[in-house]
Amino acid sequence: MKKKERARVMVLLKEADATPLFHLYCCMQALRVVQQSMATNGDDPVAIGLLAAIWLRLGASRRARGLLQSRIVQRSKIPHPQY
């Protein structure tokens, strides 16, 4: 994830905290930026972590937990279980 994209996401998340009226809009914009970044590099651990943080703020805790677990698996170099 590029520094410019990461900075944009952080600004959007801070804005979401500051203005409750635009919380959903700012989180969705941040989600869009992270997903566009992941389109070029899907294995980026920084992008996965930010994606999990955004989903957690949107209330999707199971999805966030799954993303964080996949990030831990990526860091430890353990292959994903195939179901």
Side-chain angles (χ1 to χ4, degrees):
M1 178 172 232
K2 295 179 183 176
K3 188 175 181 179
K4 183 179 177 182
E5 294 168 339
R6 193 173 359 166
R8 175 75 177 139
V9 170
M10 296 309 291
V11 166
L12 284 167
L13 291 178
K14 284 182 182 179
E15 191 175 329
D17 288 341
T19 55
L21 184 62
F22 296 113
H23 176 79
L24 182 63
Y25 174 76
C26 291
C27 286
M28 294 303 285
Q29 287 294 102
L31 186 65
R32 188 172 294 127
V33 171
V34 172
Q35 287 175 337
Q36 286 174 352
S37 171
M38 287 187 71
T40 58
N41 183 11
D43 294 334
D44 186 13
V46 173
I48 293 172
L50 283 173
L51 192 61
I54 294 167
W55 279 119
L56 195 61
R57 286 178 185 231
L58 289 173
S61 58
R62 288 184 183 173
R63 184 172 289 182
R65 190 176 330 124
L67 283 168
L68 290 174
Q69 287 174 350
S70 73
R71 183 178 177 195
I72 291 169
V73 168
Q74 281 181 349
R75 282 189 172 177
S76 64
K77 306 283 189 212
I78 299 172
H80 286 291
Q82 300 296 322
Y83 296 111

